[in-house]
Amino acid sequence: MRRKFGYAFGASLILLGLLWIGQGSGLFPYPSSSFMVNQNLWILWGVIVVGIGGIAVFITHKLRGN
């Protein structure tokens, strides 16, 4: 149960970070009125969140047991 939660949490963070990177870089400008579109700060935050999600998945994978 904990491993499933850990994987879901990490994957959610990775997807959220990728969304922020896409919006910050202008690759995913939806909605077009979003304050995040073409803002380099959101690329940085996205990379940080993707990294945290990757660490969560890695730690979850290394846990033993259920």
Side-chain angles (χ1 to χ4, degrees):
M1 177 81 171
R2 288 183 185 169
R3 291 184 85 172
K4 289 180 184 179
F5 175 77
Y7 284 128
F9 179 72
S12 297
L13 286 178
I14 291 170
L15 291 175
L16 179 65
L18 291 174
L19 175 67
W20 287 0
I21 291 169
Q23 284 193 318
S25 65
L27 294 174
F28 184 69
Y30 182 79
S32 59
S33 62
S34 174
F35 62 93
M36 295 171 66
V37 175
N38 292 323
Q39 299 293 320
N40 290 337
L41 178 63
W42 289 102
I43 297 172
L44 174 64
W45 282 114
V47 169
I48 291 169
V49 171
V50 167
I52 293 170
I55 290 169
V57 169
F58 178 76
I59 289 172
T60 301
H61 182 70
K62 291 296 180 183
L63 289 176
R64 302 209 185 259
N66 296 332

